[in-house]
Amino acid sequence: MRDFYLKYNTEDSWLIKEEGWTRSLQGVRESQFSLGNGLWGSRGILEEIPYDCSPGTYIAGIYDKIGAQVTELVNFPNPFNFKITTKGEKIDVVAMDVLKHKRILNIHHGILSRHTIFKDSKGRMYDYQSIRFISMYNKNIGVMQIVLTPLDDKAELTIQTGIDTSVFNAGVLTEGRKRHFRIKELNQFDNEGYLAVDTLGKSHSIIYRSGFHYKIGSKKTFAKDNIFELKLNKNQTVVFTKIFYLDFMPIGDNFEKTKELSEVRFRKAFNSSFDGLIKKHISAWEDLWSIAGVSIWGVPEVEKNFRFAIYHMTICANDNNGLSSIGARTLSGEGYRGHIFWDTEIFLLPFYTYIFPDVAKSLLLYRYKRLEAARDIAKESGYKGAMFPWESADSGQETTPTWAKNLDGRVIKIYTDKMEHHITADIVFALYHYYVATGDERFMEDFGYEILFETARFWTSRVEYNSKNKRYEIKHVIGPDEFHEDVNNNAYTNMMAKWNLNVAYKMFNKIKNEKSKVNLSLITKIGLDKKEVREWKRIAPRICMNVRKDKVIEQFDSFFKKRKVKVREFDENSMPLLPKGIKVKDFHKTQLVKQADVIMLLYLLSDIFSSRTKKVNYQYYIDKTLHKSSLSPSMHALMALDVGDLSRAYQFFNVSLHTDIANVHDNTREGVHAACLGGTWQIVINGFAGVKIVKEVLTIDPKIPKNWRKILFSLKWRGDILKLEINHSAVNIKVVSGKENNNSSTHRKKRMKLKVRVFGILRELVRNKKYVFDRKVSKSKIQQYY
């Protein structure tokens, strides 16, 4: 039997494959093979919806709380639904024997294809092939095609398709499964199915339109209903093509107008050819990869797995002017209920800042548009300014659940919403990083400065003065290491707060001197007193951080007095196993660390710490960290590179790279790990390629692994596109003049040279000219590693 979709799967370096059917991996594959375009996403389920399948159709930014402990991302009706039965037997991987099964996710073009051969209870075989995509060209459109051939007998088929409304959100703890939508309208007319649903909380209406036709030989027939019967002869092939349209609007908008417009748009797509639709979709993907693509020569599997991470960051990226952000499991699953954490700002935002800056801007606008909610949270907690929630959804209010399961399966009370306050500074860190990389003054004037000053206000009210020690403290917090709750003076939190205050003071004076009208407008808008600004300068240097004589930073007060525990056992990925003889509930009594905490601080604020401080702290904390968060390996890889522990850096990179492609944490079924995707990108680009910001200057100092020949990639910097080719001994750069960034004060004149520090030397580059810079050291001084 010929492979109908072979032409879409010819580039092996871009193909993620499933060979054979393994039932226990069904949930993992559904997450891995997810499709999306930023507007909405769909889990990579099998079309026949086999037993234990978990369909997931998620629209960016649409949440609901009815029936749940807290607001959660809504699982909407599933359009990728196509069931076929023959004489009472369902053609299904669970119901029938599977003789052959292969699925391929083409990450270059966002296409999922399949080829399965089934055998029924009477020994009759069926060749089943399918292909699907969610259009990156027309983001309201999805397309699926199925090819079925009975191989050794005629077949009487019953087809059931349409939009499946039997889906639900998964149950969590004491909650059962729940449905967050109700059917508003339902109809069938002119070869089209129509469905409209409302979220239970009445926040949004969603419109679906779908239709399909089938072709036997040269005869094309439009189906009049979602359920019908069809007869095929032996070796006779039928090709089903299903096209659907999805749109949404806030309740209160003009529903009838959107409904009418959706009909026009759906009809245009429905009357288009499959080849025409997929061609436009592929072209849109190739445009995205022209800037996002990375080639790693010499290690094809590493390159493919790294592209898998970029693919998943791309299918959840949406430039929607702050309507939504990106949850901890993207739009590929319901892990963490689709909530937004610091993962977005610290781990994902660098990728978007350098590759899709409009998406980065939209993610920051998500925070700005919920600034009033952050002010409310601060006020309710007894503070001033703006305090962002630890977990956020649609409104910007705190959505952290009260209860969750711990590592040992116990249900424990959650205090992160009350104490994990570092997220407020994390958001500002991402905002400032975006500003430095883009030079987007307009964004800062309209939104950024307000966030910066309101968060500085928060930290000013959050600190407490210790008159005995003559320093400011921040008490009752949880740092990134969540094994230790309700601690005082967590180094990460304190130093990020200090940095927040320092940057706010610096930028206030910048606009005061350079843009007095902007300054005056902000002072008036938020009622900022100049005395407050002087307080930022006075408080910041007095915020405490405990440091031993040997430069080791104490993670929090009395951490050094905690019980020392040596990690002795490791898993197949060289990651620490939980120490025997210590219960999880007693980890807080030890120096065991959940994830990068002090090490995270040293990486983010690398400019202000000496090489010696980084090295001694890395050595001190590396053997105490259990990496019980997917966020941890990437940060450790980056710090390992910084301090010269190159072998271990690659070890951590491998864990981060394979987190979802190999289901390292045994929970990929809940969705791919967003922070891990972004962290892996940072290791390759900021770490191995050595491209990062140092003291607000773009700096390149690569540390490429021995078996990598070179890395080729592009990134955007202050309105220009940099095309880079980096190997062990040289950096090749071409600056391509991008669309003039009228919001960038540093790029008002195209003739201005671009300053980049390469191998420690500051260079001035002219646009549209190629440069080659060689590393001026002997080969013996270039460390190489696996």
Side-chain angles (χ1 to χ4, degrees):
M1 193 71 192
R2 76 180 180 93
D3 187 337
F4 279 79
Y5 304 117
L6 177 63
K7 66 180 180 180
Y8 299 112
N9 296 315
T10 58
E11 305 171 287
D12 192 66
S13 62
W14 293 90
L15 306 181
I16 306 298
K17 300 177 182 179
E18 174 188 42
E19 304 274 4
W21 163 247
T22 304
R23 186 170 178 178
S24 62
L25 292 176
Q26 181 175 202
V28 174
R29 298 288 181 251
E30 289 170 359
S31 295
Q32 292 169 335
F33 289 168
S34 290
L35 300 174
N37 56 23
L39 176 68
W40 62 289
S42 174
R43 286 169 62 80
I45 56 168
L46 297 170
E47 300 89 5
E48 64 266 32
I49 320 297
Y51 183 76
D52 277 347
C53 173
S54 298
T57 304
Y58 311 108
I59 300 174
I62 301 187
Y63 295 80
D64 190 75
K65 187 178 179 181
I66 305 298
Q69 181 189 160
V70 293
T71 304
E72 58 188 16
L73 189 65
V74 177
N75 186 4
F76 283 107
N78 167 38
F80 288 113
N81 164 53
F82 208 97
K83 300 169 185 173
I84 305 173
T85 58
T86 175
K87 293 185 178 180
E89 289 189 63
K90 184 183 178 188
I91 297 179
D92 179 301
V93 291
V94 175
M96 285 188 177
D97 290 335
V98 177
L99 303 183
K100 171 186 175 181
H101 177 76
K102 184 175 185 177
R103 281 203 295 173
I104 300 174
L105 175 65
N106 182 328
I107 54 178
H108 192 192
H109 296 145
I111 296 170
L112 179 60
S113 59
R114 170 187 181 185
H115 193 175
T116 307
I117 296 178
F118 294 98
K119 184 170 75 171
D120 67 17
S121 61
K122 294 183 180 179
R124 295 170 299 204
M125 294 184 293
Y126 307 86
D127 186 278
Y128 180 104
Q129 300 182 46
S130 71
I131 192 169
R132 73 174 78 156
F133 61 92
I134 293 176
S135 179
M136 192 61 82
Y137 174 78
N138 181 344
K139 294 196 174 186
N140 298 100
I141 296 296
V143 181
M144 176 170 65
Q145 195 170 82
I146 293 169
V147 180
L148 183 69
T149 308
L151 297 179
D152 44 22
D153 199 356
K154 62 183 179 179
E156 297 178 5
L157 307 175
T158 300
I159 290 86
Q160 180 181 349
T161 182
I163 308 298
D164 182 12
T165 60
S166 68
V167 300
F168 48 82
N169 276 76
V172 181
L173 294 181
T174 58
E175 300 170 8
R177 301 185 308 185
K178 56 268 186 187
R179 188 169 293 128
H180 284 295
F181 60 87
R182 63 168 65 87
I183 295 175
K184 180 186 183 78
E185 294 178 350
L186 183 65
N187 204 350
Q188 188 82 27
F189 57 91
D190 295 336
N191 306 323
E192 172 192 330
Y194 163 74
L195 170 70
V197 301
D198 288 343
T199 54
L200 293 183
K202 298 183 178 180
S203 67
H204 286 83
S205 294
I206 292 82
I207 289 175
Y208 290 85
R209 294 186 183 276
S210 70
F212 76 100
H213 50 76
Y214 59 92
K215 193 172 184 180
I216 300 176
S218 60
K219 184 180 179 182
K220 181 178 178 180
T221 304
F222 285 87
K224 296 181 179 180
D225 203 347
N226 291 326
I227 302 175
F228 69 98
E229 294 184 348
L230 185 68
K231 293 182 180 180
L232 293 177
N233 294 321
K234 176 183 175 181
N235 291 323
Q236 188 175 37
T237 297
V238 59
V239 180
F240 300 99
T241 302
K242 180 177 181 179
I243 298 171
F244 50 86
Y245 177 96
L246 182 154
D247 202 357
F248 66 95
M249 75 229 68
I251 290 179
D253 281 12
N254 192 327
F255 176 79
E256 291 301 324
K257 183 177 179 181
T258 304
K259 180 179 175 180
E260 291 174 10
L261 186 60
S262 71
E263 169 69 6
V264 174
R265 291 173 174 172
F266 166 71
R267 284 292 167 182
K268 182 178 180 180
F270 191 45
N271 292 327
S272 301
S273 69
F274 175 85
D275 288 344
L277 293 170
I278 199 169
K279 184 178 179 180
K280 289 179 179 179
H281 166 72
I282 288 172
S283 179
W285 263 104
E286 289 182 344
D287 287 345
L288 294 172
W289 281 110
S290 69
I291 182 66
V294 177
S295 293
I296 306 174
W297 289 36
V299 281
E301 279 305 304
V302 170
E303 178 185 67
K304 182 191 295 187
N305 292 337
F306 185 59
R307 287 171 172 170
F308 174 81
I310 297 173
Y311 164 83
H312 272 281
M313 288 190 286
T314 303
I315 66 171
C316 65
N318 196 355
D319 172 16
N320 58 16
N321 201 36
L323 172 67
S324 64
S325 185
I326 299 172
R329 296 302 183 95
T330 68
L331 294 175
S332 62
E334 295 170 32
Y336 297 103
R337 301 176 187 258
H339 290 174
I340 294 100
F341 294 74
W342 67 318
D343 306 34
T344 307
E345 284 77 20
I346 296 299
F347 293 86
L348 286 174
L349 211 80
F351 168 75
Y352 298 121
T353 295
Y354 293 111
I355 305 301
F356 304 125
D358 286 344
V359 174
K361 180 178 179 179
S362 183
L363 294 174
L364 292 169
L365 281 173
Y366 166 84
R367 295 296 188 180
Y368 177 80
K369 291 188 173 183
R370 290 150 185 82
L371 186 60
E372 196 58 43
R375 290 185 178 107
D376 291 341
I377 294 171
K379 186 176 181 180
E380 291 166 5
S381 302
Y383 306 119
K384 297 178 181 179
M387 170 183 163
F388 286 99
W390 177 244
E391 297 187 30
S392 181
D394 50 355
S395 68
Q397 295 294 332
E398 183 62 72
T399 55
T400 301
T402 307
W403 304 92
K405 282 189 176 181
N406 205 355
L407 293 173
D408 56 4
R410 292 181 305 116
V411 176
I412 59 171
K413 194 166 185 178
I414 301 301
Y415 296 99
T416 50
D417 56 324
K418 301 292 191 297
M419 299 182 187
E420 202 149 355
H421 295 167
H422 63 78
I423 189 170
T424 296
D426 300 332
I427 290 167
V428 175
F429 182 87
L431 183 154
Y432 192 68
H433 189 164
Y434 167 83
Y435 169 64
V436 172
T438 64
D440 192 346
E441 288 286 356
R442 178 64 60 82
F443 172 81
M444 292 301 292
E445 292 172 14
D446 293 346
F447 316 108
Y449 292 127
E450 190 174 348
I451 294 175
L452 188 55
F453 299 158
E454 288 288 29
T455 53
R457 273 178 159 169
F458 164 70
W459 290 116
T460 301
S461 66
R462 183 65 180 83
V463 298
E464 300 176 35
Y465 186 64
N466 184 323
S467 57
K468 181 179 179 180
N469 297 322
K470 296 182 180 180
R471 64 180 191 174
Y472 283 95
E473 301 179 320
I474 303 177
K475 297 182 176 181
H476 307 296
V477 298
I478 300 173
D481 166 27
E482 293 166 344
F483 284 167
H484 298 93
E485 300 175 331
D486 196 9
V487 301
N488 296 333
N489 297 314
N490 168 255
Y492 179 88
T493 304
N494 284 24
M495 290 302 291
M496 291 297 285
K498 178 178 181 175
W499 176 89
N500 194 158
L501 289 168
N502 281 331
V503 170
Y505 180 78
K506 180 181 78 170
M507 297 306 286
F508 179 86
N509 282 286
K510 176 181 180 294
I511 60 171
K512 176 184 175 183
N513 296 327
E514 299 176 7
K515 299 183 178 183
S516 57
K517 288 184 179 179
V518 173
N519 181 261
L520 182 61
S521 176
L522 273 168
I523 288 174
T524 304
K525 181 178 181 180
I526 65 176
L528 184 63
D529 191 320
K530 293 180 181 179
K531 292 181 181 178
E532 291 184 73
V533 179
R534 289 196 291 270
E535 279 290 279
W536 302 344
K537 182 182 180 181
R538 187 183 67 83
I539 291 172
R542 293 173 175 82
I543 294 178
C544 67
M545 182 175 72
N546 303 326
V547 185
R548 294 193 320 203
K549 290 181 179 180
D550 60 359
K551 301 290 185 180
V552 175
I553 298 168
E554 188 172 33
Q555 186 173 295
F556 55 82
D557 288 356
S558 300
F559 178 83
F560 292 147
K561 296 179 181 178
K562 300 284 184 181
R563 177 185 170 189
K564 296 179 181 178
V565 178
K566 189 171 182 61
V567 177
R568 300 181 184 277
E569 296 183 285
F570 300 85
D571 65 16
E572 65 275 14
N573 298 305
S574 299
M575 290 291 100
L577 295 173
L578 297 180
K580 295 178 180 179
I582 302 176
K583 296 181 179 179
V584 173
K585 68 182 182 66
D586 293 326
F587 279 179
H588 71 284
K589 299 176 183 178
T590 74
Q591 290 186 4
L592 292 172
V593 177
K594 179 184 177 184
Q595 64 195 74
D597 194 303
V598 170
I599 285 176
M600 170 80 84
L601 169 65
L602 297 172
Y603 172 67
L604 293 184
L605 301 185
S606 181
D607 289 359
I608 67 175
F609 293 102
S610 68
S611 296
R612 182 190 170 194
T613 297
K614 293 175 188 176
K615 193 161 190 175
V616 297
N617 280 277
Y618 172 81
Q619 292 171 340
Y620 183 84
Y621 285 102
I622 191 72
D623 293 327
K624 295 174 171 58
T625 306
L626 295 182
H627 306 288
K628 293 306 173 185
S629 167
S630 63
L631 283 64
S632 192
S634 60
M635 291 298 107
H636 279 80
L638 288 159
M639 185 48 55
L641 284 169
D642 206 351
V643 301
D645 189 357
L646 306 182
S647 179
R648 201 177 294 190
Y650 202 77
Q651 172 189 310
F652 284 124
F653 165 68
N654 263 323
V655 174
S656 189
L657 179 70
H658 292 94
T659 290
D660 289 307
I661 201 71
N663 191 25
V664 169
H665 300 286
D666 195 28
N667 60 8
T668 296
R669 63 188 177 279
E670 298 172 8
V672 298
H673 297 73
C676 198
L677 304 173
T680 302
W681 186 89
Q682 290 184 53
I683 299 171
V684 173
I685 304 303
N686 305 138
F688 294 144
V691 181
K692 55 187 175 182
I693 299 171
V694 178
K695 297 189 184 300
E696 302 191 6
V697 175
L698 190 65
T699 302
I700 307 175
D701 189 8
K703 297 177 181 178
I704 298 178
K706 180 181 178 180
N707 56 339
W708 295 20
R709 289 167 54 195
K710 58 183 175 181
I711 310 174
L712 293 83
F713 60 98
S714 300
L715 57 82
K716 295 181 180 179
W717 176 258
R718 296 180 182 173
D720 292 315
I721 298 174
L722 275 64
K723 295 186 175 295
L724 298 108
E725 179 180 319
I726 299 176
N727 59 40
H728 295 281
S729 58
V731 172
N732 294 259
I733 308 176
K734 182 178 180 181
V735 182
V736 180
S737 184
K739 183 179 179 181
E740 183 70 3
N741 182 359
N742 294 322
N743 298 326
S744 172
S745 64
T746 57
H747 287 270
R748 288 177 182 160
K749 297 180 181 179
K750 288 187 178 181
R751 65 178 179 270
M752 285 185 67
K753 294 181 179 180
L754 184 69
K755 294 182 179 180
V756 180
R757 182 172 282 108
V758 185
F759 296 129
I761 301 172
L762 189 64
R763 317 279 186 171
E764 291 190 343
L765 311 184
V766 176
R767 289 164 182 78
N768 299 314
K769 180 180 178 182
K770 292 183 179 179
Y771 294 86
V772 179
F773 301 108
D774 296 318
R775 190 192 294 269
K776 302 296 183 181
V777 296
S778 64
K779 290 184 178 180
S780 63
K781 291 184 179 179
I782 301 176
Q783 289 179 286
Q784 296 185 327
Y785 54 99
Y786 293 95

